């Protein structure tokens, strides 16, 4: 099969690269283009066309991450993105715009697939919960390597709050919490997940996972917790993997 292409659509940047599925890594250096404002589906589609134009030899299926619920290619929520995304058939829009076989996947689900196949949870059986701590909290539920999509555990209501509004990395930054204070909130969050799901492993992703040494040891949670290892490659690699398996 021809090499798949992964696109990570984020609030500030849109990153893409062909992905080597044997290695679980970029097959060529990735290209990053600043996310347009407003980041409406039509504006983002134009960026995808530009991005793919940098890789004329890569003709395989294209996977795209979206930070919202995605069912059968249609986006159903937009907590931290332009509201115009809700109801958009993104698979169709991007397939028509690019002339390629495009498959859209929730951003945390893509990261989760990548971590289970190539990263921190590689080879792990049982229930793995991958969370991404960023602007929001993304989640991927993976059992024996099989993804249950759109778990949206960042929006659990805990102590009367939407969980991500208290425990995401953006809350730490906004409220200038030190690591200890943020770790308290994370302990509450992960204990709730433990109570509901009894997972075998938590993988902690998102940009802040590079500082895992500062906060993971402070968490009082029984389940094993490990930092993500694919870091900022997880979205692109997971999206390409998803597209390859969906096409
Ligand atoms: C969205 C999720 C997304 C997460 C991380 C949440 O606000 O609802 O779909 O995975 O943010 O971007």
């Amino acid at each position: 099969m021809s090499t798949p292409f992964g696109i990570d659509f984020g609030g500030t940047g849109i990153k893409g690269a062909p992905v080597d599925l044997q290695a679980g890594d970029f097959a060529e250096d990735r290209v990053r283009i600043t996310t347009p404002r407003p980041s409406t589906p039509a504006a983002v589609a134009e960026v995808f066309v530009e991005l793919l134009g940098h890789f004329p030899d890569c003709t395989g299926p294209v996977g795209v991450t979206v930070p919202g619920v995605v069912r059968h290619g249609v986006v159903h929520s937009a907590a931290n993105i332009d509201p115009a995304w809700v109801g958009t058939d993104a698979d169709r829009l991007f397939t028509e715009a690019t002339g390629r076989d495009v498959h859209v996947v929730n951003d945390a689900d893509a990261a989760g697939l990548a971590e289970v196949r190539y990263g921190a949870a590689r080879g792990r059986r049982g229930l793995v919960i991958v969370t991404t701590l960023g602007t929001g909290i993304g989640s991927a539920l993976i059992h024996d390597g099989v993804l249950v999509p759109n778990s949206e555990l960042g929006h659990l209501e805990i102590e009367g709050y939407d969980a991500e509004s208290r425990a995401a990395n953006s809350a730490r930054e906004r409220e200038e919490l030190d690591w200890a204070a943020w770790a308290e909130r994370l302990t509450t969050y992960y204990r709730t997940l433990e109570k509901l799901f009894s997972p075998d492993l938590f993988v902690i992703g998102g940009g802040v996972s590079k500082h895992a040494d500062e906060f993971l040891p402070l968490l009082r949670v029984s389940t094993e917790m490990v930092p993500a290892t694919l870091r900022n490659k997880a979205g692109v690699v997971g999206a390409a993997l998803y597209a390859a398996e969906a096409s």
Side-chain angles (χ1 to χ4, degrees):
M1 191 232 276
S2 41
T3 306
F5 193 88
I7 297 180
D8 186 352
F9 161 44
T12 53
I14 296 177
K15 297 166 269 180
V19 170
D20 175 345
L21 292 186
Q22 289 294 325
D25 203 349
F26 301 164
E28 291 178 52
D29 287 347
R30 63 141 223 221
V31 167
R32 179 187 186 280
I33 297 176
T34 302
T35 304
R37 284 184 189 278
S39 55
T40 57
V44 168
E46 279 181 36
V47 174
F48 290 173
V49 173
E50 182 186 339
L51 194 56
L52 289 165
H54 287 271
F55 302 91
D57 298 333
C58 177
T59 55
V62 179
V64 174
T65 69
V66 172
V69 170
V70 182
R71 288 177 55 223
H72 311 295
V74 178
V75 179
H76 288 275
S77 75
N80 298 305
I81 52 174
D82 195 284
W85 283 85
V86 177
T88 296
D89 185 337
D91 271 13
R92 194 168 74 193
L93 175 77
F94 298 143
T95 296
E96 283 173 6
T98 62
R100 300 281 292 273
D101 181 20
V102 183
H103 299 271
V104 174
V105 57
N106 172 265
D107 57 355
D109 284 345
L113 285 173
E115 290 295 337
V116 165
R117 194 68 66 90
Y118 306 108
R122 184 175 177 168
R124 292 290 293 248
R125 313 268 314 158
L127 181 62
V128 176
I129 301 185
V130 179
T131 53
T132 59
L133 302 172
T135 308
I137 296 181
S139 63
L141 279 188
I142 296 161
H143 186 253
D144 286 351
V146 177
L147 173 72
V148 179
N150 297 308
S151 48
E152 291 291 321
L153 302 181
H155 296 297
L156 283 175
E157 186 180 314
I158 301 177
E159 296 174 343
Y161 295 92
D162 187 30
E164 72 175 23
S165 72
R166 303 268 298 161
N169 189 46
S170 59
R172 179 185 71 83
E173 290 173 345
R174 189 175 59 243
E175 299 181 44
E176 297 178 5
L177 302 175
D178 61 19
W179 295 115
W182 190 45
E184 279 303 306
R185 295 191 183 182
L186 291 175
T187 294
T188 303
Y189 179 64
Y190 287 105
R191 280 188 174 173
T192 304
L193 295 189
E194 265 184 335
K195 202 163 62 185
L196 293 173
F197 296 99
S198 304
D200 296 288
L201 177 69
F202 284 121
V203 177
I204 314 303
V208 73
S209 65
K210 63 174 178 281
H211 300 298
D213 287 355
E214 304 277 2
F215 64 91
L216 271 195
L218 306 179
L219 266 60
R220 301 184 316 283
V221 175
S222 315
T223 308
E224 184 185 354
M225 304 188 102
V226 293
T229 54
L230 272 91
R231 300 271 170 83
N232 56 7
K233 290 184 174 177
V236 168
V237 171
L241 176 63
Y242 179 81
E245 297 193 340
S247 64

